[in-house]
């Protein structure tokens, strides 16, 4: 079985400050990792994904994430946030085995960017 | 433009009534999924389908039913057996279950409220 833990339910930050949203996963096999963003009353949009290769992954809107296999983490970072980044962010995992064939999501982190 | 269309966006239901949420995609994706979203709980998998005329239960299938008669369509019925149906429902698709690590493309969601 696989699971995802997002350690912070809410993260308040001032505009132009850096931010890190934390994500840890648990799986008995190798995984693929994703970050999605959701604006109010909308569906989810892919920010970035790690499938293989470089552990530092760059995504849309200036976000990046680093896969750390030893710490089973995939934290999301942005060096300078904007008001428009206010949204809910979800970390998700899928496994490389032939068992569960759908993404497992964390509980989400609400990023609140203040002026 | 290609995408996933969910309807209706908002739906109100009286207790004891079945309701069906529509999900149509024109992305030519093989796999389709239904997730339920509740505040603070992230997304939980209800049902998924890899190919036409085949589908599997997810983590919270009780009180729900689906069909997959056409590749483009994956409707979800919320039955009167679902004890707490008020939620935001998200439909998603992927090229195949394994392509891109299982990356999902989401619709805009349907918000169901039981009165």
């Amino acid at each position: 079985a696989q699971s995802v833990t997002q350690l912070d339910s809410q993260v308040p930050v001032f505009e132009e400050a850096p931010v890190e949203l934390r994500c840890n996963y648990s799986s008995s096999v190798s995984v693929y990792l994703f970050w999605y963003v959701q604006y109010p009353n909308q569906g989810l949009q892919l920010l970035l994904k790690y499938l293989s290769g470089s552990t530092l992954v760059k995504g849309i809107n200036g976000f990046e994430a680093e896969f750390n296999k030893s710490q089973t983490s995939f934290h999301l970072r942005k060096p300078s946030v904007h008001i428009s980044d206010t949204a809910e962010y979800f970390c998700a995992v899928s496994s490389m085995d032939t068992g569960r064939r759908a993404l497992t999501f964390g509980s989400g982190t609400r990023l609140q960017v203040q002026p | 433009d290609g995408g996933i269309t969910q309807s209706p966006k908002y739906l109100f239901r009286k207790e004891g009534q079945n309701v069906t949420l529509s999900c149509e995609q024109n992305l030519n994706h093989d796999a389709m999924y239904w997730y339920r979203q509740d505040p603070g709980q992230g997304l939980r998998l209800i049902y998924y389908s890899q190919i036409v005329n085949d589908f599997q239960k997810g983590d919270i299938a009780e009180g729900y039913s689906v069909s997959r008669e056409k590749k483009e369509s994956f409707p979800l019925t919320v039955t009167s057996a679902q004890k707490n149906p008020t939620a935001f429902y998200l439909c998603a698709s992927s090229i195949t279950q394994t392509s891109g690590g299982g990356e999902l493309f989401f619709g805009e969601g349907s918000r169901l409220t039981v009165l």
Side-chain angles (χ1 to χ4, degrees), chain A residues 31-98:
Chain A
V31 297
Y32 303 112
L33 294 156
F34 304 81
W35 275 100
Y36 282 85
V37 61
Q38 183 183 36
Y39 299 100
N41 292 312
Q42 293 187 23
L44 277 68
Q45 177 185 2
L46 181 71
L47 274 178
L48 48 79
K49 61 185 177 184
Y50 171 79
L51 302 183
S52 65
S54 172
T55 57
L56 182 63
V57 180
K58 294 189 182 298
I60 63 171
N61 300 342
F63 284 94
E64 63 181 33
E66 185 155 21
F67 171 55
N68 188 319
K69 188 173 182 179
S70 62
Q71 297 187 6
T72 61
S73 68
F74 191 55
H75 300 333
L76 181 70
R77 302 186 184 98
K78 187 170 183 178
S80 176
V81 295
H82 302 288
I83 295 288
S84 60
D85 292 322
T86 295
E88 188 144 25
Y89 292 79
F90 291 94
C91 182
V93 62
S94 67
S95 63
M96 296 184 184
D97 68 3
T98 56

Side-chain angles (χ1 to χ4, degrees), chain B residues 14-51:
Chain B
K14 293 181 180 179
E15 283 192 29
Q17 289 181 334
N18 292 356
V19 293
T20 297
L21 307 180
S22 170
C23 178
E24 302 278 333
Q25 55 102 354
N26 60 5
L27 299 169
N28 198 31
H29 286 177
D30 286 342
M32 296 187 74
Y33 309 77
W34 275 104
Y35 284 88
R36 169 180 170 141
Q37 184 178 14
D38 297 281
Q41 295 192 50
L43 280 69
R44 293 180 290 166
L45 182 66
I46 304 173
Y47 269 99
Y48 63 102
S49 168
Q50 301 177 63
I51 56 173

